[in-house]
Amino acid sequence: MCRLCLSVSGAAAAADRFRQHPWPAAAGAAWDELAAALLPASCVVCGAADSSLCRSCRRAVRHSGTRPYYAHDAAELLPPAEADGNRQADDSGSVLPVLAAGRYSGGLARVLLAYKNHGRTGLAAVLRPMLAGALHQAAEDAGRSNLVLVPVPGTGRALRRRGYSPLGLLLGTLRTRGLLPAQTSLEPLLRHTRTGPAQLLRAGSPAGALLRSPGHSQKHLGRKGRRTNVYGTMTAGRAGTLAGVRILVVDDVLTTGATIAEAARALRAAGARVEAAVVIAATSAPVRDAGNTKGES
């Protein structure tokens, strides 16, 4: 990462840590109430006045995240699952399991967008319980012992624009309040690298001929474009540095799975065993809920 990106990342991380402590959080809530009185807000879901999220919509959004489900079947770019008892990825056709707290639609989608892109950090109070529930379920399914939760890092551009890390703020607060799954730890093992699509293209790698120029938003890319737009953009360190480490990747939204695939690639290249991933919401419809965690038909 460039020095500016590292500086912005450090400042955003410090701001996130500040927000996670009780009295700054209380002060922030009080400020939100004052701001709502001086500059009336509207519900991000229904538009009702005087609240970022009205009571009725808050109840509906919370309910939408109470039954985690496995959403990986519809995410076509996810990597293979780990093979049992083998360091190599599974070649049986199964993909990396991804547990979603809710579906990315309706009220939950609007809340996530407002939280991530419009500075509505007070909405974290609605999203935290959803993420915590999905993390506990995924940890239980993977076997809780010595699991490391690894968030997908935000880009330097996103950090500069927002001034905070949405996912980092949620996870950091869960850790501060002791709400992460037992026998797990939270470690930011992934970081962005300057070796992305443009560098691979210039280097003449076999994948280079397929790569687009960097900087394109994932939203407007097709299947191949999403995969190649993020390939090689993350690193978790040198080969072998994470040997024996069992990991749950954590992200906010699952669409095609390209970002999670890149995170898993970087972690596996460093020797880690990526057991599964957890997201707040997925664009696919529920296929497997928490009562069908092993994937039976």
Side-chain angles (χ1 to χ4, degrees):
M1 295 178 83
C2 65
R3 291 183 179 179
L4 176 60
C5 292
L6 288 171
S7 176
V8 171
S9 177
D16 289 347
R17 288 194 296 271
F18 180 78
R19 292 187 181 99
Q20 291 158 18
H21 289 84
W23 74 263
W31 172 255
D32 287 345
E33 291 181 6
L34 177 61
L38 298 176
L39 299 169
S42 59
C43 174
V44 299
V45 177
C46 72
D50 300 330
S51 174
S52 292
L53 191 62
C54 71
R55 184 175 300 179
S56 176
C57 290
R58 181 180 295 266
R59 185 165 50 247
V61 170
R62 280 181 168 170
H63 180 72
S64 71
T66 57
R67 294 192 66 189
Y69 69 97
Y70 279 96
H72 47 269
D73 283 349
E76 54 194 8
L77 299 183
L78 285 170
E82 296 282 2
D84 291 338
N86 194 317
R87 285 297 310 126
Q88 300 298 316
D90 188 359
D91 60 0
S92 66
S94 61
V95 299
L96 184 74
V98 182
L99 188 70
R103 188 178 179 186
Y104 189 74
S105 63
L108 179 54
R110 293 187 177 94
V111 167
L112 264 171
L113 285 172
Y115 172 67
K116 289 177 56 179
N117 298 331
H118 301 292
R120 300 290 187 90
T121 55
L123 295 173
V126 180
L127 299 173
R128 276 195 302 268
M130 298 182 187
L131 180 56
L135 287 171
H136 279 262
Q137 181 67 57
E140 184 70 28
D141 294 345
R144 292 177 179 272
S145 179
N146 300 319
L147 277 172
V148 179
L149 311 178
V150 178
V152 170
T155 63
R157 179 182 299 177
L159 287 170
R160 290 193 295 273
R161 175 167 53 85
R162 295 172 177 143
Y164 65 100
S165 166
L167 186 59
L169 182 57
L170 290 172
L171 289 168
T173 303
L174 290 175
R175 177 171 58 184
T176 299
R177 298 183 181 181
L179 298 176
L180 293 178
Q183 301 182 52
T184 66
S185 61
L186 175 63
E187 299 292 344
L189 298 178
L190 286 167
R191 58 183 172 83
H192 284 279
T193 174
R194 298 184 69 180
T195 306
Q199 287 72 23
L200 290 171
L201 182 61
R202 287 197 293 269
S205 70
L210 300 175
L211 299 176
R212 298 171 61 99
S213 59
H216 290 273
S217 169
Q218 293 280 79
K219 296 178 182 178
H220 307 294
L221 297 178
R223 181 178 183 271
K224 182 185 293 184
R226 283 177 179 261
R227 178 177 65 248
T228 58
N229 192 51
V230 298
Y231 183 84
T233 59
M234 296 183 201
T235 181
R238 295 187 302 274
T241 55
L242 297 179
V245 179
R246 299 175 63 242
I247 285 174
L248 291 181
V249 173
V250 188
D251 203 1
D252 48 16
V253 177
L254 173 70
T255 50
T256 63
T259 301
I260 288 176
E262 171 59 13
R265 182 205 62 77
L267 290 162
R268 286 171 172 171
R273 183 180 175 90
V274 181
E275 302 288 357
V278 179
V279 295
I280 301 170
T283 56
S284 61
V287 175
R288 304 170 184 168
D289 62 23
N292 186 16
T293 59
K294 299 304 180 184
E296 295 87 347
S297 300

